[in-house]
Amino acid sequence: QVWQIRLDMHLLNHDGNITDAASIAGIVALCHFHRPDVSVQGEEVTVYTPEERDPVPLSIHHMPICVSFAFFHQGTYLLVDPTEREERVMDGLLVIAMNKHHEICTIQSSGVVMLLQEQILRCTKITAVKVAEITELIQKALENDQKARKEGRKFGFAESISNQRITAFKMEGAAVDTNDVEEEAGEIIAKADPPSEVFATPVLHTPGTAQIGEGVESSWGDLEESEKEEAVEEEGESEAAAFECEKVETEDTSTLEETKTGEPIVLSDSEEEEVVILEPQELPRKTR
């Protein structure tokens, strides 16, 4: 028999970098949790209450901590622990999970930026320093919590509520000066680039695609070099076929003009080997 442990995350507020915050909260919860003590005699399992025996902590061998890196301008600028506003404008995100023994547990990359080997190695070095600091803070917090429990003082969530430590964005009220708002807004607008041309009607780049409003021109309709060559060859073949058809029509017209002299025409069928003589007035009409 084994213990089944379920860990749920509840976000109180969001100001960016949820992955790092969730990893720290999860590992702290697992380190703080104590399961009931048990004893096994044959097939009989006894689970003791906290009054009978002290609960037992989990066997956690290491603490993997996540550290996030935001990249801007195609990796030119690097930022650790991005906020919610910074995440909106970043080009890519790199998350590295590592323990205090400098062992990489996982690496996750997202976004549209291509990272070089030197950039990833630089991030791992920064992660090693941050993980050591965060692990030390976690161990210190767990020791303070255990000490407060033994002394009978408030601890955990109740202690955080009384000190208002769980409330983010808590700031003292301050008056906002709005006298120069119009002037600053005018300067910003004057320095800004003019808006791009807006297409009021749909733009049809190629059959099956269309574009309305702003945006870059679609390249779906552009043909590759091989496709362009095939298109030119097909166009040349169609022109040659049209020329042959026109030549055949011209020959048929000259043949009909010769039949107007009154001489009979002999038509032969190669399969049945029959010969039919038609008078000029019995000539079949030309069909298209």
Side-chain angles (χ1 to χ4, degrees):
Q1 297 184 6
V2 297
W3 289 103
Q4 180 181 359
I5 301 175
R6 174 177 174 177
L7 179 62
D8 295 328
M9 297 288 180
H10 298 277
L11 302 181
L12 301 179
N13 49 64
H14 177 25
D15 190 30
N17 202 1
I18 290 298
T19 304
D20 297 6
S23 69
I24 295 174
I27 194 64
V28 171
L30 293 175
C31 293
H32 184 268
F33 175 74
H34 286 59
R35 64 169 178 82
D37 194 8
V38 298
S39 63
V40 181
Q41 295 180 355
E43 296 182 356
E44 182 180 356
V45 179
T46 303
V47 180
Y48 298 97
T49 62
E51 290 77 14
E52 295 174 343
R53 290 189 181 182
D54 292 336
V56 181
L58 300 179
S59 299
I60 298 179
H61 303 287
H62 67 109
M63 298 182 183
I65 305 298
C66 294
V67 180
S68 297
F69 300 88
F71 294 91
F72 303 87
H73 293 284
Q74 298 300 320
T76 305
Y77 300 101
L78 171 64
L79 184 64
V80 184
D81 189 9
T83 62
E84 191 266 341
R85 289 186 176 183
E86 293 166 345
E87 288 181 348
R88 291 184 181 182
V89 297
M90 66 181 180
D91 295 333
L93 181 68
L94 179 66
V95 181
I96 301 178
M98 182 184 295
N99 56 23
K100 65 178 182 180
H101 306 294
H102 297 181
E103 297 175 345
I104 298 178
C105 303
T106 182
I107 295 180
Q108 180 183 5
S109 178
S110 60
V112 296
V113 62
M114 298 295 293
L115 300 179
L116 301 176
Q117 180 179 0
E118 292 77 9
Q119 294 174 312
I120 299 178
L121 292 176
R122 180 188 176 190
C123 293
T124 56
K125 294 180 181 179
I126 298 175
T127 301
V129 176
K130 301 297 293 183
V131 166
E133 297 176 355
I134 296 173
T135 302
E136 184 178 355
L137 291 175
I138 291 175
Q139 293 175 347
K140 184 177 180 180
L142 293 173
E143 292 174 359
N144 293 338
D145 180 83
Q146 186 177 5
K147 183 178 180 180
R149 288 174 182 271
K150 291 182 178 180
E151 296 177 356
R153 295 185 286 108
K154 288 185 177 181
F155 52 84
F157 193 71
E159 188 267 343
S160 300
I161 293 178
S162 60
N163 293 334
Q164 297 184 351
R165 291 171 54 185
I166 65 172
T167 306
F169 313 116
K170 181 175 177 57
M171 299 178 63
E172 299 295 334
V176 179
D177 186 9
T178 60
N179 295 327
D180 300 334
V181 172
E182 295 183 0
E183 297 180 1
E184 294 180 359
E187 293 177 358
I188 294 174
I189 295 174
K191 295 179 181 179
D193 297 331
S196 58
E197 182 181 358
V198 179
F199 298 90
T201 57
V203 180
L204 183 63
H205 299 290
T206 187
T209 63
Q211 172 184 311
I212 301 177
E214 298 181 355
V216 297
E217 183 176 353
S218 175
S219 60
W220 295 352
D222 296 342
L223 299 177
E224 300 292 340
E225 294 297 332
S226 59
E227 296 179 353
K228 291 182 179 179
E229 294 177 357
E230 293 178 0
V232 172
E233 292 179 357
E234 292 178 358
E235 185 178 358
E237 292 177 358
S238 60
E239 291 180 357
F243 177 76
E244 291 292 336
C245 293
E246 183 178 356
K247 182 178 180 182
V248 172
E249 292 177 358
T250 306
E251 294 177 354
D252 294 343
T253 305
S254 61
T255 304
L256 289 176
E257 290 179 354
E258 293 177 358
T259 58
K260 293 181 181 179
T261 57
E263 298 178 357
I265 299 177
V266 179
L267 301 177
S268 64
D269 190 349
S270 59
E271 296 180 359
E272 300 180 358
E273 296 296 336
E274 293 183 357
V275 178
V276 182
I277 300 177
L278 301 178
E279 296 297 332
Q281 64 272 16
E282 298 177 358
L283 290 175
R285 296 182 178 179
K286 180 182 177 183
T287 59
R288 290 184 180 271

